[in-house]
Amino acid sequence: MKVKHSKYKNTGILFELLTRQLTSDTITGDQSKSLSFLKKHFNSKTELLKEYKIYHTLATKKYDNENQATMLIEELIKAHERLNKSQLRREKYNLIKEIKDTYNVNDFFKAKITDYKVMASVFNLLENKTATALSIVDSKVTILEHITRKQKQKKQNLVLENFNKQDKNTRLLTYKVLLERFNNKYSGLQENQKTLLKEYVNSVSNSPALKSYLNQEIKLVKKDLTKYSKKVEDKVVAIKLNETKNMINSLDKKSSVQDDNVINLLNYYELINELKTIHG
């Protein structure tokens, strides 16, 4: 059964979308309000942070034993029941209002969501007052399977674990250094490259909108390559440009957007930008 729920009210999704918006704004060099929203609405004095921690635990905690996973779910349901619901409603209303006043909500809420089904199930389990008994059971099963699913050990998980063990000042310093490196890495990007990355960050990888955007950009790149192949005086370079143009293929209906598609387009942008610099 597909769980119906509101993205607007799902605290786990709201937090993830704000962090993704922060990443997107950093890439494009825009002044981001998402960071101030995170600091304001998810701090130690808010019920939203307490609720987010419950979402986060259910989405990330892993057990091999189903009994332990069941106990975790039951304890977190009790913890959620102890939250100040009137304060939580006010905080969530104010956060959603600020998001709507600041961003285009259609664009904001179309971004890729990690473990969307799990987040929807957590919302259904904790907050959906109209949920049926059957949908509650389905949500519990989804969360239980997620918690007990064995994950492959990844290097980045070990790095994150070590990062979380550091004291607060060390974490802040590490974050500052990473942010500076991130900004330096992308400071040299041209506008078309920044726009592409922003679209990718803000889109679901197999979404029709992202695929349509990439195909449109591919058409423009091929058009530019045709134009510059006629401008260059070196015949060998002109032939290479035409060969490059013929290698670029649009994504068909059955294809999904992969990282390689984005990387290749970034490289084509780099070529076009260089041609513009030389030939205008």
Side-chain angles (χ1 to χ4, degrees), residues 7-67:
K7 283 185 180 180
Y8 291 80
K9 297 179 181 179
N10 188 311
T11 299
I13 287 177
L14 288 172
F15 185 89
E16 180 168 345
L17 290 178
L18 283 171
T19 57
R20 289 182 178 276
Q21 185 65 47
L22 176 60
T23 303
S24 176
D25 291 342
T26 302
I27 289 173
T28 56
D30 295 337
Q31 185 176 2
S32 178
K33 290 188 177 181
S34 55
L35 181 59
S36 63
F37 290 168
L38 288 167
K39 289 180 177 179
K40 177 180 178 181
H41 297 285
F42 293 91
N43 62 65
S44 59
K45 297 180 181 179
T46 65
E47 294 296 290
L48 264 176
L49 179 63
K50 295 177 185 177
E51 183 174 62
Y52 169 70
K53 287 181 177 179
I54 294 173
Y55 270 85
H56 181 70
T57 302
L58 288 171
T60 59
K61 187 65 177 177
K62 298 296 175 186
Y63 283 119
D64 292 329
N65 188 297
E66 287 192 6
N67 290 332

Side-chain angles (χ1 to χ4, degrees), residues 253-269:
K253 293 182 179 180
K254 295 182 180 180
S255 301
S256 60
V257 179
Q258 304 295 329
D259 290 348
D260 285 347
N261 300 127
V262 178
I263 293 169
N264 288 337
L265 189 51
L266 284 172
N267 290 329
Y268 293 134
Y269 281 155

Side-chain angles (χ1 to χ4, degrees), residues 152-192:
K152 293 181 180 180
Q153 200 72 5
K154 295 182 179 180
K155 183 178 179 181
Q156 54 263 42
N157 290 340
L158 295 175
V159 172
L160 183 60
E161 183 179 341
N162 291 330
F163 176 76
N164 289 330
K165 288 179 180 178
Q166 296 171 352
D167 61 83
K168 181 180 179 181
N169 290 332
T170 303
R171 290 202 307 272
L172 288 173
L173 179 60
T174 302
Y175 175 75
K176 183 179 179 182
V177 171
L178 288 173
L179 187 58
E180 288 175 353
R181 289 181 178 177
F182 185 85
N183 287 330
N184 290 335
K185 181 178 180 181
Y186 291 105
S187 61
L189 291 181
Q190 300 295 320
E191 287 305 312
N192 52 6

Side-chain angles (χ1 to χ4, degrees), residues 39-256:
K39 289 180 177 179
K40 177 180 178 181
H41 297 285
F42 293 91
N43 62 65
S44 59
K45 297 180 181 179
T46 65
E47 294 296 290
L48 264 176
L49 179 63
K50 295 177 185 177
E51 183 174 62
Y52 169 70
K53 287 181 177 179
I54 294 173
Y55 270 85
H56 181 70
T57 302
L58 288 171
T60 59
K61 187 65 177 177
K62 298 296 175 186
Y63 283 119
D64 292 329
N65 188 297
E66 287 192 6
N67 290 332
Q68 290 177 311
T70 301
M71 289 174 60
L72 176 69
I73 294 172
E74 291 174 352
E75 289 303 313
L76 290 177
I77 290 174
K78 292 177 184 177
H80 191 268
E81 290 173 350
R82 293 193 293 268
L83 296 179
N84 185 326
K85 296 302 193 299
S86 60
Q87 182 180 338
L88 179 61
R89 282 193 296 271
R90 285 196 303 271
E91 291 174 358
K92 194 173 296 188
Y93 173 83
N94 291 332
L95 171 59
I96 294 170
K97 183 178 184 302
E98 289 186 31
I99 290 173
K100 288 182 177 180
D101 290 342
T102 305
Y103 301 108
N104 180 313
V105 290
N106 291 327
D107 291 339
F108 184 83
F109 282 97
K110 75 178 181 181
K112 184 190 304 183
I113 304 297
T114 306
D115 294 323
Y116 177 84
K117 185 178 180 181
V118 175
M119 287 295 186
S121 296
V122 174
F123 176 87
N124 194 53
L125 183 62
L126 299 178
E127 302 186 70
N128 190 354
K129 303 303 179 184
T130 62
T132 64
L134 182 58
S135 71
I136 291 292
V137 171
D138 286 340
S139 295
K140 283 186 176 180
V141 170
T142 296
I143 297 169
L144 183 64
E145 289 177 347
H146 177 76
I147 293 173
T148 55
R149 187 187 306 144
K150 290 186 178 180
Q151 301 293 312
K152 293 181 180 180
Q153 200 72 5
K154 295 182 179 180
K155 183 178 179 181
Q156 54 263 42
N157 290 340
L158 295 175
V159 172
L160 183 60
E161 183 179 341
N162 291 330
F163 176 76
N164 289 330
K165 288 179 180 178
Q166 296 171 352
D167 61 83
K168 181 180 179 181
N169 290 332
T170 303
R171 290 202 307 272
L172 288 173
L173 179 60
T174 302
Y175 175 75
K176 183 179 179 182
V177 171
L178 288 173
L179 187 58
E180 288 175 353
R181 289 181 178 177
F182 185 85
N183 287 330
N184 290 335
K185 181 178 180 181
Y186 291 105
S187 61
L189 291 181
Q190 300 295 320
E191 287 305 312
N192 52 6
Q193 294 172 315
K194 290 181 179 180
T195 302
L196 172 60
L197 285 174
K198 185 174 182 179
E199 286 291 329
Y200 190 50
V201 169
N202 279 338
S203 299
V204 181
S205 359
N206 60 357
S207 72
L210 180 60
K211 186 187 297 184
S212 175
Y213 175 80
L214 259 69
N215 282 338
Q216 183 61 35
E217 289 300 297
I218 287 171
K219 288 181 181 179
L220 294 175
V221 166
K222 296 183 79 166
K223 183 178 179 181
D224 282 339
L225 288 174
T226 299
K227 179 179 70 175
Y228 287 113
S229 67
K230 296 176 181 179
K231 282 189 174 185
V232 296
E233 296 179 0
D234 191 321
K235 292 184 178 180
V236 174
V237 174
I239 292 172
K240 291 295 182 183
L241 289 177
N242 281 316
E243 288 178 352
T244 301
K245 180 193 68 175
N246 294 330
M247 288 171 58
I248 306 173
N249 297 315
S250 299
L251 296 169
D252 58 36
K253 293 182 179 180
K254 295 182 180 180
S255 301
S256 60

